[in-house]
Amino acid sequence: MKISIVVPVYNEADNISALIAEIVRAMNQAEAYEIIYVDDGSNDETAAVLQQTQQNIKMLRVIHHQQSCGQSAAIYTGVKAASYPCIATLDGDGQNDPADIPRLYGALMQQRKISSNLWMIAGWRNKRHDSAWRLFSSKVANAVRSRLLGDNTPDTGCGLKVFLRDEFLGLPYFDHMHRFLPALILRAGGQVISEPVNHRGRAHGYSKYGTLDRLWVGIVDILGVIWLQKRAKLPEANEVERG
């Protein structure tokens, strides 16, 4: 296994040390890996904790955004900087379980032997530990998105995903694109498989994203992705051999 693990964070100082320790334990059988934390303009002690942790974890890389640009921008920064052809992303709040990464990576490599068009294994939080309101709003949002975009993915909001770096960088980039990766991959001719993953409650801090904020932004973004889908063309092309 050769993989880059990208973790976007914004004001998650209290969750950093424990999550990095879990990642290191989960990756103890990996041939080669790196952990890339992208600090998206945090104004708490996130930068200081990352700097201190970096002194003890040699595979930890840290990238700072001078100002907060959002989760999609942080993920994109981390993927561009990654050294390995396979990427795993995790939310920085500790609710995703790093122990799932080797299994998802194995599923991606195994299934690609059957279908080389498989680009991503998407985590599916089928047993979530969130408030009743958050569960309800997420269920409605996923149902609406799936119906309109036809991405056949039960949980695009899960931060735990394993995918191919170069194929990701070829997708159209826009703010909040991380919530629409399955639809964008299908549009580009790739395939996505969802796999159940562990989900935990938050140990520290609080969500940085409000339900109403996500609702209104999501409506605009869905319309934009529908626009992209309708204008996608996937030509079949063959090079003519020299006569």
Side-chain angles (χ1 to χ4, degrees), residues 136-182:
F136 171 76
S137 61
S138 181
K139 184 176 181 179
V140 172
N142 275 311
V144 171
R145 186 214 66 255
S146 181
R147 179 66 179 270
L148 292 176
L149 300 182
D151 58 18
N152 196 31
T153 303
D155 184 15
T156 62
C158 180
L160 179 52
K161 298 178 176 72
V162 176
F163 53 86
L164 305 178
R165 176 183 181 273
D166 289 348
E167 281 71 5
F168 171 89
L169 292 176
L171 299 175
Y173 170 78
F174 55 90
D175 196 14
H176 304 110
M177 70 170 289
H178 68 282
R179 295 188 175 278
F180 301 96
L181 285 178

Side-chain angles (χ1 to χ4, degrees), residues 50-210:
L50 284 171
Q51 183 177 14
Q52 182 178 8
T53 306
Q54 198 174 23
Q55 296 177 6
N56 301 317
I57 307 295
K58 64 179 182 179
M59 66 286 295
L60 174 62
R61 299 171 59 191
V62 178
I63 302 173
H64 295 284
H65 285 174
Q66 295 302 313
Q67 59 186 13
S68 180
C69 297
Q71 189 171 351
S72 285
I75 291 172
Y76 199 82
T77 293
V79 174
K80 282 197 301 182
S83 304
Y84 298 117
C86 193
I87 304 291
T89 57
L90 285 171
D91 285 340
D93 58 13
Q95 291 193 263
N96 298 140
D97 189 346
D100 283 318
I101 294 176
R103 178 171 59 85
L104 297 191
Y105 176 90
L108 179 64
M109 295 299 106
Q110 186 64 32
Q111 290 297 321
R112 277 182 55 79
K113 295 178 182 178
I114 302 171
S115 175
S116 60
N117 283 339
L118 180 64
W119 293 5
M120 173 184 285
I121 302 291
W124 173 20
R125 301 166 294 180
N126 60 334
K127 296 180 181 179
R128 291 181 61 172
H129 293 273
D130 282 320
S131 67
W133 172 247
R134 195 172 184 85
L135 289 171
F136 171 76
S137 61
S138 181
K139 184 176 181 179
V140 172
N142 275 311
V144 171
R145 186 214 66 255
S146 181
R147 179 66 179 270
L148 292 176
L149 300 182
D151 58 18
N152 196 31
T153 303
D155 184 15
T156 62
C158 180
L160 179 52
K161 298 178 176 72
V162 176
F163 53 86
L164 305 178
R165 176 183 181 273
D166 289 348
E167 281 71 5
F168 171 89
L169 292 176
L171 299 175
Y173 170 78
F174 55 90
D175 196 14
H176 304 110
M177 70 170 289
H178 68 282
R179 295 188 175 278
F180 301 96
L181 285 178
L184 295 173
I185 288 173
L186 292 174
R187 172 187 178 274
Q191 297 176 359
V192 178
I193 292 177
S194 295
E195 285 285 337
V197 294
N198 189 26
H199 187 247
R200 294 99 59 98
R202 257 187 178 271
H204 305 282
Y206 58 92
S207 174
K208 311 305 186 297
Y209 306 99

